Amino acid sequence: MIGSGLSKFATKQGMKVSQGVAYGSLMGLAVTLSEGSGYKQMVITTKFSDPAKQVALQESLDPKRLQKVYRVTNLQISTGRIIVTFHDTIGTMDKIIAFTEWFMPLLHQHSASGADICSECGQPVSGGSCWKLINGTAYHMHELCAQKVLWDIEQSQQKQTDADTGSYFNGTIGAILGMLIGAVAWGFVLAAGYLASLVGLAMGWLSAKGYDLFRGKQGKGKVAILIVCILVGVLLGTVLGEGISLYFAISAGELPFYTPADIPALLIYDFTYVAEYRIGVLTNVGLGLLFAGLGVFALLRNTAKSVSGTKVKHLD
């Protein structure tokens, strides 16, 4: 997505805004601008005619200075593109503008290819060119080069589909087993009086690991299965935590007329007829889901990306 600050900046530079990004030529280089929660991002699609100049550029960059002067939290130079991530807070747009005025001339000095060069074949783009948004990054290419790229993507995804011999059933079994281990850990942590997103992350990781170990199908259904397992895991972990607390109370003699065998009945009775207890349990469930969500959000997002395949959109 893209907000008003980046949109105004891009429009002023003659770039276009579409499909949640700004793209086009920025000081002679092919650039994609986007943003998310707490960050803004600039992706420059370029290649270096001389590998030595790319190395020289990398060696000249000081991460600490980039962070201090321009709020750059990450800068990655790879084959075909440069990804620059900025910490988004008040005044970040001014930092991005200053960074652009400093970094773009530096790229030209190191012979980085410009927006007038096809990102696929490396030849000048004149007539018959187009912009394609591939996994959120805009690429300027010849029409024929774009067709070749799309064909290669389709063939690659088809090969991955053919090679995926897993099943959702097997993956679900593995995810459930991983979730049960995580639920036990959640129960003991809850019984000790704590709630932590780290335990939620562990539950998500165990579910995902179990899914993969049991050769689950690497499709979009994987994310839904993991979400359900995590939800169920939090519920089971909460019930287990309450049960463990009752066990300790019975063992300590605080409930002299009950034995561990009475724990299931006590849980059901208290939840049904004791309003304060029910509210406390539901609060723990709600907090548990919140902490688990915080813990596994990045994991689920990365999983969703890994199974969704390459996304291609036509820009113009």
mmCIF file of all heavy atoms in Angstrom, residues 41-71:
data_model
loop_
_atom_site.group_PDB
_atom_site.id
_atom_site.type_symbol
_atom_site.label_atom_id
_atom_site.label_comp_id
_atom_site.label_asym_id
_atom_site.label_seq_id
_atom_site.Cartn_x
_atom_site.Cartn_y
_atom_site.Cartn_z
ATOM 1 N N GLN A 41 9.166 1.858 1.966
ATOM 2 C CA GLN A 41 10.155 1.086 1.222
ATOM 3 C C GLN A 41 10.350 1.631 -0.186
ATOM 4 O O GLN A 41 9.400 2.056 -0.849
ATOM 5 C CB GLN A 41 9.734 -0.382 1.150
ATOM 6 C CG GLN A 41 10.814 -1.312 0.621
ATOM 7 C CD GLN A 41 10.408 -2.766 0.768
ATOM 8 O OE1 GLN A 41 9.646 -3.295 -0.028
ATOM 9 N NE2 GLN A 41 10.929 -3.422 1.807
ATOM 10 N N MET A 42 11.603 1.607 -0.602
ATOM 11 C CA MET A 42 11.979 1.991 -1.959
ATOM 12 C C MET A 42 12.725 0.820 -2.588
ATOM 13 O O MET A 42 13.695 0.322 -2.018
ATOM 14 C CB MET A 42 12.881 3.239 -1.931
ATOM 15 C CG MET A 42 13.477 3.615 -3.278
ATOM 16 S SD MET A 42 14.693 4.970 -3.136
ATOM 17 C CE MET A 42 13.638 6.310 -2.580
ATOM 18 N N VAL A 43 12.247 0.367 -3.741
ATOM 19 C CA VAL A 43 12.925 -0.714 -4.465
ATOM 20 C C VAL A 43 13.386 -0.172 -5.802
ATOM 21 O O VAL A 43 12.579 0.348 -6.588
ATOM 22 C CB VAL A 43 12.009 -1.933 -4.675
ATOM 23 C CG1 VAL A 43 12.769 -3.039 -5.411
ATOM 24 C CG2 VAL A 43 11.479 -2.450 -3.345
ATOM 25 N N ILE A 44 14.677 -0.280 -6.065
ATOM 26 C CA ILE A 44 15.272 0.216 -7.307
ATOM 27 C C ILE A 44 15.663 -0.996 -8.149
ATOM 28 O O ILE A 44 16.494 -1.806 -7.728
ATOM 29 C CB ILE A 44 16.520 1.074 -7.014
ATOM 30 C CG1 ILE A 44 16.174 2.188 -6.015
ATOM 31 C CG2 ILE A 44 17.084 1.659 -8.299
ATOM 32 C CD1 ILE A 44 17.389 2.817 -5.368
ATOM 33 N N THR A 45 15.032 -1.143 -9.309
ATOM 34 C CA THR A 45 15.376 -2.263 -10.187
ATOM 35 C C THR A 45 16.491 -1.797 -11.127
ATOM 36 O O THR A 45 16.271 -0.989 -12.018
ATOM 37 C CB THR A 45 14.148 -2.731 -10.988
ATOM 38 O OG1 THR A 45 13.516 -1.611 -11.614
ATOM 39 C CG2 THR A 45 13.149 -3.404 -10.065
ATOM 40 N N THR A 46 17.672 -2.326 -10.893
ATOM 41 C CA THR A 46 18.847 -1.895 -11.653
ATOM 42 C C THR A 46 19.898 -2.996 -11.670
ATOM 43 O O THR A 46 19.859 -3.910 -10.832
ATOM 44 C CB THR A 46 19.441 -0.611 -11.032
ATOM 45 O OG1 THR A 46 20.513 -0.139 -11.853
ATOM 46 C CG2 THR A 46 19.974 -0.880 -9.625
ATOM 47 N N LYS A 47 20.802 -2.901 -12.607
ATOM 48 C CA LYS A 47 21.921 -3.835 -12.698
ATOM 49 C C LYS A 47 23.205 -3.031 -12.900
ATOM 50 O O LYS A 47 23.180 -1.926 -13.446
ATOM 51 C CB LYS A 47 21.721 -4.820 -13.862
ATOM 52 C CG LYS A 47 20.524 -5.755 -13.683
ATOM 53 C CD LYS A 47 20.366 -6.689 -14.870
ATOM 54 C CE LYS A 47 19.179 -7.617 -14.685
ATOM 55 N NZ LYS A 47 18.978 -8.519 -15.850
ATOM 56 N N PHE A 48 24.314 -3.609 -12.468
ATOM 57 C CA PHE A 48 25.617 -2.958 -12.603
ATOM 58 C C PHE A 48 26.397 -3.601 -13.747
ATOM 59 O O PHE A 48 26.598 -4.821 -13.749
ATOM 60 C CB PHE A 48 26.407 -3.063 -11.299
ATOM 61 C CG PHE A 48 25.781 -2.321 -10.152
ATOM 62 C CD1 PHE A 48 24.806 -2.920 -9.365
ATOM 63 C CD2 PHE A 48 26.156 -1.011 -9.864
ATOM 64 C CE1 PHE A 48 24.223 -2.240 -8.305
ATOM 65 C CE2 PHE A 48 25.573 -0.320 -8.809
ATOM 66 C CZ PHE A 48 24.600 -0.931 -8.029
ATOM 67 N N SER A 49 26.805 -2.775 -14.679
ATOM 68 C CA SER A 49 27.556 -3.302 -15.825
ATOM 69 C C SER A 49 28.911 -3.834 -15.394
ATOM 70 O O SER A 49 29.469 -4.742 -16.007
ATOM 71 C CB SER A 49 27.744 -2.201 -16.880
ATOM 72 O OG SER A 49 28.400 -1.063 -16.313
ATOM 73 N N ASP A 50 29.458 -3.274 -14.321
ATOM 74 C CA ASP A 50 30.756 -3.711 -13.792
ATOM 75 C C ASP A 50 30.561 -4.217 -12.360
ATOM 76 O O ASP A 50 30.268 -3.433 -11.446
ATOM 77 C CB ASP A 50 31.746 -2.545 -13.810
ATOM 78 C CG ASP A 50 33.143 -2.962 -13.364
ATOM 79 O OD1 ASP A 50 33.316 -4.136 -12.964
ATOM 80 O OD2 ASP A 50 34.056 -2.108 -13.421
ATOM 81 N N PRO A 51 30.682 -5.535 -12.111
ATOM 82 C CA PRO A 51 30.501 -6.091 -10.765
ATOM 83 C C PRO A 51 31.395 -5.426 -9.719
ATOM 84 O O PRO A 51 31.012 -5.305 -8.551
ATOM 85 C CB PRO A 51 30.872 -7.566 -10.937
ATOM 86 C CG PRO A 51 30.621 -7.854 -12.379
ATOM 87 C CD PRO A 51 30.978 -6.590 -13.101
ATOM 88 N N ALA A 52 32.579 -4.969 -10.151
ATOM 89 C CA ALA A 52 33.501 -4.334 -9.215
ATOM 90 C C ALA A 52 32.905 -3.041 -8.653
ATOM 91 O O ALA A 52 33.121 -2.685 -7.490
ATOM 92 C CB ALA A 52 34.829 -4.043 -9.895
ATOM 93 N N LYS A 53 32.118 -2.341 -9.484
ATOM 94 C CA LYS A 53 31.505 -1.098 -9.022
ATOM 95 C C LYS A 53 30.371 -1.379 -8.033
ATOM 96 O O LYS A 53 30.129 -0.584 -7.125
ATOM 97 C CB LYS A 53 31.011 -0.287 -10.216
ATOM 98 C CG LYS A 53 32.143 0.275 -11.069
ATOM 99 C CD LYS A 53 31.638 1.248 -12.116
ATOM 100 C CE LYS A 53 32.813 1.866 -12.876
ATOM 101 N NZ LYS A 53 32.380 2.879 -13.858
ATOM 102 N N GLN A 54 29.688 -2.502 -8.210
ATOM 103 C CA GLN A 54 28.663 -2.884 -7.238
ATOM 104 C C GLN A 54 29.303 -3.167 -5.874
ATOM 105 O O GLN A 54 28.795 -2.738 -4.843
ATOM 106 C CB GLN A 54 27.900 -4.119 -7.714
ATOM 107 C CG GLN A 54 26.862 -4.610 -6.700
ATOM 108 C CD GLN A 54 26.088 -5.815 -7.186
ATOM 109 O OE1 GLN A 54 26.003 -6.074 -8.386
ATOM 110 N NE2 GLN A 54 25.511 -6.573 -6.263
ATOM 111 N N VAL A 55 30.424 -3.884 -5.912
ATOM 112 C CA VAL A 55 31.152 -4.185 -4.675
ATOM 113 C C VAL A 55 31.639 -2.896 -4.021
ATOM 114 O O VAL A 55 31.531 -2.716 -2.806
ATOM 115 C CB VAL A 55 32.336 -5.128 -4.959
ATOM 116 C CG1 VAL A 55 33.178 -5.310 -3.697
ATOM 117 C CG2 VAL A 55 31.837 -6.479 -5.455
ATOM 118 N N ALA A 56 32.135 -1.983 -4.845
ATOM 119 C CA ALA A 56 32.639 -0.711 -4.321
ATOM 120 C C ALA A 56 31.521 0.086 -3.663
ATOM 121 O O ALA A 56 31.714 0.710 -2.606
ATOM 122 C CB ALA A 56 33.281 0.100 -5.437
ATOM 123 N N LEU A 57 30.340 0.049 -4.289
ATOM 124 C CA LEU A 57 29.187 0.754 -3.717
ATOM 125 C C LEU A 57 28.817 0.156 -2.364
ATOM 126 O O LEU A 57 28.597 0.882 -1.389
ATOM 127 C CB LEU A 57 28.004 0.671 -4.673
ATOM 128 C CG LEU A 57 26.676 1.222 -4.131
ATOM 129 C CD1 LEU A 57 26.793 2.727 -3.859
ATOM 130 C CD2 LEU A 57 25.537 0.930 -5.101
ATOM 131 N N GLN A 58 28.750 -1.160 -2.302
ATOM 132 C CA GLN A 58 28.401 -1.833 -1.059
ATOM 133 C C GLN A 58 29.385 -1.498 0.059
ATOM 134 O O GLN A 58 28.995 -1.268 1.205
ATOM 135 C CB GLN A 58 28.337 -3.346 -1.274
ATOM 136 C CG GLN A 58 27.145 -3.796 -2.107
ATOM 137 C CD GLN A 58 27.162 -5.288 -2.386
ATOM 138 O OE1 GLN A 58 28.128 -5.812 -2.931
ATOM 139 N NE2 GLN A 58 26.095 -5.967 -2.015
ATOM 140 N N GLU A 59 30.652 -1.485 -0.291
ATOM 141 C CA GLU A 59 31.676 -1.212 0.715
ATOM 142 C C GLU A 59 31.666 0.235 1.180
ATOM 143 O O GLU A 59 32.136 0.540 2.285
ATOM 144 C CB GLU A 59 33.062 -1.577 0.148
ATOM 145 C CG GLU A 59 33.245 -3.077 -0.076
ATOM 146 C CD GLU A 59 34.594 -3.404 -0.679
ATOM 147 O OE1 GLU A 59 35.254 -2.455 -1.177
ATOM 148 O OE2 GLU A 59 34.987 -4.588 -0.678
ATOM 149 N N SER A 60 31.120 1.121 0.361
ATOM 150 C CA SER A 60 31.110 2.553 0.722
ATOM 151 C C SER A 60 29.952 2.919 1.650
ATOM 152 O O SER A 60 29.948 4.005 2.229
ATOM 153 C CB SER A 60 31.029 3.409 -0.546
ATOM 154 O OG SER A 60 29.756 3.274 -1.168
ATOM 155 N N LEU A 61 28.987 2.017 1.790
ATOM 156 C CA LEU A 61 27.797 2.324 2.579
ATOM 157 C C LEU A 61 28.015 1.970 4.052
ATOM 158 O O LEU A 61 28.446 0.866 4.383
ATOM 159 C CB LEU A 61 26.590 1.556 2.031
ATOM 160 C CG LEU A 61 26.219 1.865 0.576
ATOM 161 C CD1 LEU A 61 25.071 0.974 0.122
ATOM 162 C CD2 LEU A 61 25.840 3.337 0.422
ATOM 163 N N ASP A 62 27.698 2.897 4.910
ATOM 164 C CA ASP A 62 27.842 2.713 6.352
ATOM 165 C C ASP A 62 26.443 2.572 6.974
ATOM 166 O O ASP A 62 25.689 3.548 7.044
ATOM 167 C CB ASP A 62 28.555 3.919 6.971
ATOM 168 C CG ASP A 62 28.755 3.761 8.478
ATOM 169 O OD1 ASP A 62 28.323 2.747 9.043
ATOM 170 O OD2 ASP A 62 29.351 4.677 9.088
ATOM 171 N N PRO A 63 26.066 1.359 7.397
ATOM 172 C CA PRO A 63 24.721 1.133 7.949
ATOM 173 C C PRO A 63 24.371 2.077 9.090
ATOM 174 O O PRO A 63 23.233 2.554 9.189
ATOM 175 C CB PRO A 63 24.774 -0.325 8.423
ATOM 176 C CG PRO A 63 25.822 -0.955 7.561
ATOM 177 C CD PRO A 63 26.848 0.106 7.362
ATOM 178 N N LYS A 64 25.329 2.355 9.970
ATOM 179 C CA LYS A 64 25.062 3.240 11.112
ATOM 180 C C LYS A 64 24.760 4.663 10.642
ATOM 181 O O LYS A 64 23.862 5.329 11.175
ATOM 182 C CB LYS A 64 26.248 3.223 12.073
ATOM 183 C CG LYS A 64 26.436 1.892 12.794
ATOM 184 C CD LYS A 64 27.580 1.974 13.797
ATOM 185 C CE LYS A 64 27.730 0.648 14.548
ATOM 186 N NZ LYS A 64 28.850 0.694 15.535
ATOM 187 N N ARG A 65 25.510 5.121 9.651
ATOM 188 C CA ARG A 65 25.264 6.466 9.129
ATOM 189 C C ARG A 65 23.914 6.517 8.410
ATOM 190 O O ARG A 65 23.176 7.506 8.543
ATOM 191 C CB ARG A 65 26.383 6.873 8.176
ATOM 192 C CG ARG A 65 26.190 8.285 7.608
ATOM 193 C CD ARG A 65 27.327 8.702 6.699
ATOM 194 N NE ARG A 65 27.134 10.056 6.192
ATOM 195 C CZ ARG A 65 26.394 10.348 5.135
ATOM 196 N NH1 ARG A 65 25.784 9.372 4.449
ATOM 197 N NH2 ARG A 65 26.247 11.609 4.741
ATOM 198 N N LEU A 66 23.598 5.474 7.656
ATOM 199 C CA LEU A 66 22.315 5.423 6.964
ATOM 200 C C LEU A 66 21.164 5.488 7.952
ATOM 201 O O LEU A 66 20.146 6.148 7.704
ATOM 202 C CB LEU A 66 22.212 4.136 6.132
ATOM 203 C CG LEU A 66 23.124 4.051 4.904
ATOM 204 C CD1 LEU A 66 23.042 2.667 4.281
ATOM 205 C CD2 LEU A 66 22.738 5.117 3.885
ATOM 206 N N GLN A 67 21.307 4.773 9.074
ATOM 207 C CA GLN A 67 20.273 4.778 10.099
ATOM 208 C C GLN A 67 20.146 6.154 10.738
ATOM 209 O O GLN A 67 19.036 6.679 10.926
ATOM 210 C CB GLN A 67 20.604 3.725 11.171
ATOM 211 C CG GLN A 67 19.762 3.800 12.433
ATOM 212 C CD GLN A 67 18.317 3.412 12.199
ATOM 213 O OE1 GLN A 67 18.037 2.547 11.393
ATOM 214 N NE2 GLN A 67 17.411 4.047 12.915
ATOM 215 N N LYS A 68 21.270 6.748 11.074
ATOM 216 C CA LYS A 68 21.268 8.021 11.790
ATOM 217 C C LYS A 68 20.805 9.181 10.919
ATOM 218 O O LYS A 68 20.005 10.028 11.360
ATOM 219 C CB LYS A 68 22.678 8.312 12.331
ATOM 220 C CG LYS A 68 22.779 9.610 13.116
ATOM 221 C CD LYS A 68 24.194 9.809 13.655
ATOM 222 C CE LYS A 68 24.303 11.108 14.451
ATOM 223 N NZ LYS A 68 25.670 11.313 14.985
ATOM 224 N N VAL A 69 21.285 9.224 9.683
ATOM 225 C CA VAL A 69 21.021 10.382 8.824
ATOM 226 C C VAL A 69 19.698 10.242 8.068
ATOM 227 O O VAL A 69 18.938 11.213 7.943
ATOM 228 C CB VAL A 69 22.175 10.587 7.818
ATOM 229 C CG1 VAL A 69 21.870 11.757 6.877
ATOM 230 C CG2 VAL A 69 23.480 10.827 8.565
ATOM 231 N N TYR A 70 19.405 9.014 7.573
ATOM 232 C CA TYR A 70 18.241 8.843 6.697
ATOM 233 C C TYR A 70 17.165 7.902 7.251
ATOM 234 O O TYR A 70 16.174 7.655 6.578
ATOM 235 C CB TYR A 70 18.703 8.311 5.334
ATOM 236 C CG TYR A 70 19.715 9.196 4.651
ATOM 237 C CD1 TYR A 70 21.037 8.781 4.497
ATOM 238 C CD2 TYR A 70 19.358 10.452 4.168
ATOM 239 C CE1 TYR A 70 21.977 9.593 3.875
ATOM 240 C CE2 TYR A 70 20.289 11.271 3.541
ATOM 241 C CZ TYR A 70 21.594 10.827 3.395
ATOM 242 O OH TYR A 70 22.520 11.640 2.769
ATOM 243 N N ARG A 71 17.380 7.368 8.464
ATOM 244 C CA ARG A 71 16.438 6.407 9.065
ATOM 245 C C ARG A 71 16.296 5.140 8.235
ATOM 246 O O ARG A 71 15.239 4.512 8.198
ATOM 247 C CB ARG A 71 15.056 7.041 9.271
ATOM 248 C CG ARG A 71 15.040 8.167 10.284
ATOM 249 C CD ARG A 71 13.648 8.721 10.480
ATOM 250 N NE ARG A 71 13.659 9.890 11.345
ATOM 251 C CZ ARG A 71 12.654 10.744 11.471
ATOM 252 N NH1 ARG A 71 11.543 10.541 10.802
ATOM 253 N NH2 ARG A 71 12.751 11.784 12.282
#
